Amino acid sequence: MDCRPFLPCPPPALPPMAPVQRGILIGQKDAGVFTRKEAAARLRALGQDPASARTDVELISLVYSTVDERGAPTMASGLVALPRARSGPLRVVSYQHGTVPLRMRVPSNIAALDDPEAIADTRATLALFAAAGYAVVAADYIGLGQSPLQRHRYMHAATEASACLDLLRAARAFSAKIGVEFEPGVFLVGFSQGGHATLALQRAIEAAHREELFVVAAAPAAGTYDMTRTFLQLLDRHDPGIAFHLAYVLTAYNAIYDVYGSPSEAFTAPYDAQIEGLYEGRHDPTEIGAVLPAKCRDLLRPAFIAETADPWHPLRRALCDNDVYAFSPRAPVRLYASRADLDVPYENMVTAHRELKARGATVDLVDLGPEDHAGTLMRALPLAKAWFDTLPACAPH
């Protein structure tokens, strides 16, 4: 089933909104210190030289203004990490984190998470980049962290991009207030959901915000860029972990696109009575997976699955609206992926690579070898760091 003849998907008809002040710093809080010792330990686990961790890192949680999916004003939170040893303008990395169903297991809350493996992807990013001298900003996304929205807008490209872009604005305002200067360019890196968010952010910046800041390079890892085909392909998988992701997407998209009228229209019993409560930020993936069936097709009503064959079905339109490969990147892109990744089909990386290249992008697809989903991050991050180190962060001429 090919959605491309129907691209681009028209946005839903919405009432006009008054201009919203976005990226305004609302609040800040000291979130502790990511020590050089902790960074060195993380680097050692990544197979990297621990001596490249050169400094402790100051962590600050920010709350800032942004917009929801309808363009209405809301708030979001995120993390800013600043190397303590610094001189001159800092190179900036925007890190887009992976899938998180727990509201407070997010970058801005890193100091309160006692489990050293909690948000391991963010900690690895701090070790590689911030402890080596980069400033790192990491948005929680709306619906997570301090966001007032009840439900996370999971895999929703527009709000991923707006939350990350507005955190970059708030982080620059905060850094200027404390006398820390940022380089004008920004490097983008993300994992899993964050891979999707990384391309969404690059697309948003390059389409409408190039006079404000520019992308130097983007390095998404193990992201789902072709939402339409990937979702339909995963319906036949037998894995509670896949059911977890499919249900997360469905409940999130229903809050935005009205995919179904009631859960019983889409989900089979007894899951229809439980499903939406599972994704309100109080349960971790293990708890959610324990409730869901092993077969994805046991989770969804056969009639609902059959209805999605219609390209104009609300779910198909929602998925199509969140495909993030149909644009022409100005900055170079490296897509990191593994054929052994069972969570995100490698074919969706191939689609993104082919489509971006056809639109004139400087884009590479880097096969990381026989790595599982989490392993792709640990292989990709050091490669992205080595690549970024070779690129200038000054404005292009």
Side-chain angles (χ1 to χ4, degrees):
M1 299 178 185
D2 194 339
C3 140
R4 279 178 295 176
F6 302 96
L7 282 171
C9 298
L14 301 173
M17 289 284 179
V20 176
Q21 283 195 308
R22 295 173 46 182
I24 303 301
L25 182 61
I26 295 172
Q28 63 200 58
K29 181 181 178 182
D30 183 353
V33 176
F34 186 77
T35 67
R36 182 179 177 183
K37 181 178 179 181
E38 182 179 356
R42 291 272 162 183
L43 291 173
R44 197 174 291 111
L46 289 168
Q48 301 299 302
D49 181 3
S52 62
R54 301 194 300 268
T55 176
D56 291 345
V57 179
E58 299 171 9
L59 305 177
I60 307 98
S61 296
L62 301 185
V63 176
Y64 58 97
S65 64
T66 188
V67 292
D68 68 11
E69 68 275 7
R70 290 170 173 78
T74 189
M75 297 187 306
S77 53
L79 178 72
V80 176
L82 301 175
R84 277 190 168 168
R86 54 184 182 252
S87 60
L90 296 176
R91 293 160 70 89
V92 181
V93 166
S94 177
Y95 178 67
Q96 287 66 244
H97 70 75
T99 298
V100 174
L102 278 170
R103 172 173 285 271
M104 295 311 297
R105 190 165 289 181
V106 288
S108 72
N109 198 43
I110 190 170
L113 300 174
D114 295 330
D115 179 0
E117 293 310 309
I119 55 173
D121 59 331
T122 302
R123 295 176 192 270
T125 304
L126 295 178
L128 276 162
F129 289 97
Y134 283 73
V136 174
V137 300
D140 297 338
Y141 311 136
I142 67 170
L144 296 175
Q146 298 299 321
S147 169
L149 301 182
Q150 181 183 30
R151 190 177 300 280
H152 171 38
R153 276 40 175 171
Y154 182 57
M155 300 299 292
H156 182 239
T159 54
E160 288 170 342
S162 60
C164 296
L165 171 60
D166 291 339
L167 177 60
L168 282 166
R169 291 167 164 153
R172 287 182 181 273
F174 170 77
S175 68
K177 186 168 70 170
I178 64 171
V180 176
E181 185 181 357
F182 286 175
E183 291 278 6
V186 60
F187 300 86
L188 309 182
V189 64
F191 166 65
S192 194
Q193 179 189 1
H196 181 266
T198 294
L199 284 189
L201 176 58
Q202 180 179 11
R203 181 176 64 181
I205 291 174
E206 293 183 343
H209 304 283
R210 287 171 49 223
E211 293 184 1
E212 181 181 355
L213 72 164
F214 73 94
V215 177
V216 181
T224 305
Y225 317 115
D226 181 357
M227 287 293 295
T228 305
R229 292 179 185 79
T230 298
F231 189 96
L232 298 172
Q233 288 170 358
L234 293 181
L235 283 173
D236 290 318
R237 290 277 298 278
H238 296 178
D239 181 350
I242 299 301
F244 161 82
H245 289 287
L246 290 182
Y248 203 173
V249 168
L250 269 174
T251 54
Y253 282 8
N254 189 60
I256 303 166
Y257 299 99
D258 296 323
V259 170
Y260 50 81
S262 69
S264 61
E265 293 180 14
F267 298 96
T268 59
Y271 311 112
D272 57 341
Q274 305 167 292
I275 200 73
E276 296 205 338
L278 293 175
Y279 293 96
E280 291 183 346
R282 301 187 303 271
H283 303 284
D284 66 27
T286 301
E287 293 172 323
I288 297 171
V291 174
L292 300 180
K295 296 181 180 180
C296 293
R297 287 185 180 267
D298 290 343
L299 176 66
L300 298 175
R301 293 180 62 246
F304 179 79
I305 295 174
E307 289 163 5
T308 64
D310 178 0
W312 299 100
H313 186 276
L315 175 59
R316 286 289 295 272
R317 303 298 290 167
L319 292 166
C320 185
D321 194 40
N322 290 285
D323 289 337
V324 292
Y325 56 77
F327 74 109
S328 303
R330 292 174 173 267
V333 178
R334 287 188 180 174
L335 304 170
Y336 294 95
S338 168
R339 296 178 187 272
D341 186 343
L342 297 180
D343 289 24
V344 180
Y346 187 82
E347 292 77 11
N348 113 87
M349 322 288 182
V350 174
T351 296
H353 178 254
R354 181 184 66 243
E355 297 293 335
L356 291 170
K357 198 171 188 66
R359 289 167 172 80
T362 300
V363 56
D364 296 311
L365 176 57
V366 181
D367 188 341
L368 298 171
E371 298 288 346
D372 63 12
H373 189 58
T376 60
L377 172 76
M378 302 311 166
R379 286 287 309 281
L381 275 178
L383 294 175
K385 167 65 163 51
W387 179 38
F388 290 173
D389 285 347
T390 68
L391 302 174
C394 57
H397 297 288

